[in-house]
Amino acid sequence: MSGVKLLGVNGSPASQRVEWALKIKGVKYEFITEDLQNKSPLLLKSNPVYKKIPVLLHNDKPIAESLVIIEYIDEAFEGPSILPKDPYDRAIARFWAKFLDDKCLPAVWKALWSQGEEQEKDREEAYEVLKVLDNELKDKKFFGGDNIGFVDIVANFVGFWIGIVEEATGVVLVTSEKFPNFCAWRDEYLNCDKVKENLPSREMLLGYFKSRVQAVAATLK
């Protein structure tokens, strides 16, 4: 299990997903911090198509894109299963993971930073996707049932980061009145020891996003 390296950024939800999967499997790894303003030759060589983090190097073979990496880790290493064993349940987990990345994250992120005339429209679009998640979580502790699994790992942005960005921007999208099932899931998620052990510093992230808010405000003056 030596020979495992992860190219990533501290505080990145995508990097953190992969780190969590590696820890679930008990895989020892080297974390190599990337500077996204000055990408390393190793990153550009390892992910020439997207040129993005995270990238997993296993015996010098690169695997890119966090969802692909998590599935690879689940298949390549011994340890607790991350995806369900049943083929149908695995397909459903992949569906919701893709929904989170393709629909939910972009809509929520846009709504949190939207300005001017587009703000109300962007918030309504975010509410729509969050309502879909809220409906999916009805009568569920976690996305896969009673235990944290693949979709919960992928949902780390909406579980943890969204609250920090809300505090930094002053834009509140998620309330228990609007999304009671989602908020119940988030409470379970953030109070889970396995989750708390694998989250970056809230203070560090809040400081980062507040600085972004100040930078955006400066451009509008």
Side-chain angles (χ1 to χ4, degrees):
M1 288 190 183
S2 57
V4 177
K5 299 177 182 178
L6 175 61
L7 310 184
V9 172
N10 289 320
S12 158
S15 295
Q16 191 268 345
R17 290 171 174 177
V18 177
E19 286 200 87
W20 192 0
L22 288 166
K23 289 173 181 176
I24 287 172
K25 290 290 188 177
V27 177
K28 294 182 180 179
Y29 62 97
E30 177 187 355
F31 188 89
I32 300 174
T33 301
E34 281 290 331
D35 178 358
L36 299 184
Q37 303 305 314
N38 183 26
K39 296 175 182 179
S40 72
L42 180 59
L43 174 60
L44 298 177
K45 176 186 175 184
S46 302
N47 189 4
V49 176
Y50 291 112
K51 302 178 176 63
K52 297 192 306 183
I53 57 99
V55 175
L56 186 78
L57 295 171
H58 184 202
N59 297 326
D60 296 324
K61 295 179 180 178
I63 304 101
E65 295 293 291
S66 63
L67 300 190
V68 176
I69 297 170
I70 294 170
E71 292 209 40
Y72 175 82
I73 290 168
D74 199 28
E75 295 172 1
F77 299 103
E78 298 293 329
S81 295
I82 295 171
L83 277 93
K85 293 291 188 185
D86 180 79
Y88 177 78
D89 292 339
R90 289 171 75 90
I92 295 301
R94 290 185 180 111
F95 172 87
W96 286 110
K98 187 169 176 59
F99 175 82
L100 281 159
D101 267 11
D102 291 354
K103 298 287 286 184
C104 189
L105 198 156
V108 169
W109 183 255
K110 187 177 181 183
L112 287 167
W113 294 96
S114 185
Q115 301 283 335
E117 296 177 357
E118 296 296 310
Q119 194 173 56
E120 190 60 35
K121 174 177 172 288
D122 291 339
R123 289 187 189 181
E124 287 301 322
E125 290 179 359
Y127 291 149
E128 285 181 17
V129 296
L130 287 168
K131 189 62 181 174
V132 172
L133 287 186
D134 192 69
N135 290 337
E136 173 61 18
L137 285 163
K138 186 178 181 181
D139 300 324
K140 290 183 178 180
K141 185 176 180 180
F142 297 111
F143 278 96
D146 291 333
N147 298 306
I148 281 182
F150 179 58
V151 182
D152 301 285
I153 293 173
V154 175
N156 64 349
F157 175 79
V158 293
F160 181 64
W161 271 259
I162 188 174
I164 299 170
V165 183
E166 283 181 326
E167 183 175 341
T169 61
V171 176
V172 177
L173 296 177
V174 177
T175 66
S176 58
E177 289 77 23
K178 279 191 176 76
F179 310 111
N181 302 315
F182 176 85
C183 287
W185 166 82
R186 184 167 68 174
D187 289 345
E188 289 280 1
Y189 183 83
L190 294 177
N191 285 312
C192 175
D193 288 339
K194 291 180 181 177
V195 174
K196 289 190 283 189
E197 290 167 5
N198 292 292
L199 291 176
S201 164
R202 192 181 195 282
E203 290 72 21
M204 178 269 290
L205 289 173
L206 183 59
Y208 169 75
F209 287 119
K210 281 185 174 179
S211 68
R212 283 197 58 167
V213 170
Q214 292 169 354
V216 170
T219 65
L220 298 175
K221 289 181 180 179

